[in-house]
Amino acid sequence: MVMIKGFRAITLSSIPSITAIGVSIGALLLTACSSPEGMDSAKERLERQKNAEAVKENVENYHAQLAAERSNVCPKLIQREVDSDVIERSQEVMSGDYCDYFLYPNAGQSISVTTDNSDLKILLVVPTMHDFANGDYKVKSYDKHVIRLSYNGFTYRPENLTYDVDITVKD
């Protein structure tokens, strides 16, 4: 054992006390990380993330609302008029692979979708998957519902596919 003035040499007998000091420091760090201050910053991050998602959805809905006024822009926010169960969209133009329609129905309502073009596949993609070829969809909760129309034909899809679509929302 070599001794340096002012320092104590590490021997095998001093290792348990060094280990105890390391465990104590680790416990202090763990306690500090799980303290209310650490939790607050995690809560703040979660809140900021939720706010960012809400802003993103509001922006998407705003663009969809503007797109509803044009036949060749997707996605579209659609709303039924007072005293009417049917939302009719005539001469819609699909220029991409699909077109989404955003809708906010109430819980308990049912949604059905028909189109004049048999080459279109009609699906509910949000909040759950539902193929309208299998019948109407019963709304489980008030939430954003996304109806997707996509080309499902056997021939080459035209660059601009024109179609009419009727979305019925019944109480």
Side-chain angles (χ1 to χ4, degrees):
M1 171 169 36
V2 178
M3 294 291 291
I4 300 175
K5 187 174 181 177
F7 291 97
R8 189 172 139 204
I10 297 176
T11 63
L12 289 177
S13 63
S14 63
I15 289 179
S17 60
I18 293 173
T19 304
I21 292 171
V23 169
S24 299
I25 291 173
L28 286 172
L29 288 173
L30 184 61
T31 304
C33 290
S34 63
S35 69
E37 294 82 20
M39 295 298 283
D40 285 344
S41 64
K43 286 179 185 176
E44 289 171 1
R45 283 193 302 271
L46 183 62
E47 190 65 32
R48 281 194 304 269
Q49 182 181 1
K50 285 182 181 178
N51 287 342
E53 290 170 2
V55 167
K56 180 181 175 189
E57 184 167 336
N58 286 340
V59 169
E60 285 177 356
N61 285 344
Y62 176 71
H63 287 292
Q65 187 176 16
L66 292 176
E69 298 170 7
R70 299 185 53 185
S71 65
N72 62 341
V73 179
C74 291
K76 301 172 188 301
L77 177 66
I78 54 174
Q79 299 172 340
R80 70 180 185 161
E81 294 185 21
V82 178
D83 298 329
S84 176
D85 290 340
V86 180
I87 303 164
E88 297 176 338
R89 301 289 304 199
S90 298
Q91 298 298 304
E92 293 287 280
V93 178
M94 184 185 305
S95 56
D97 293 333
Y98 59 87
C99 189
D100 289 342
Y101 293 86
F102 298 169
L103 182 66
Y104 286 86
N106 293 318
Q109 293 180 319
S110 65
I111 303 171
S112 64
V113 183
T114 57
T115 183
D116 66 338
N117 191 325
S118 62
D119 290 335
L120 292 177
K121 183 167 187 78
I122 307 167
L123 298 172
L124 179 71
V125 293
V126 172
T128 186
M129 238 1 198
H130 176 76
D131 188 344
F132 285 100
N134 296 327
D136 296 353
Y137 173 77
K138 184 81 167 178
V139 177
K140 294 173 182 46
S141 66
Y142 176 79
D143 199 1
K144 181 179 188 176
H145 287 65
V146 178
I147 299 168
R148 177 168 290 168
L149 277 67
S150 59
Y151 184 73
N152 194 35
F154 292 109
T155 61
Y156 176 74
R157 184 183 67 80
E159 187 173 327
N160 292 312
L161 179 67
T162 304
Y163 60 94
D164 295 339
V165 63
D166 293 335
I167 300 170
T168 305
V169 181
K170 292 183 184 175
D171 291 325

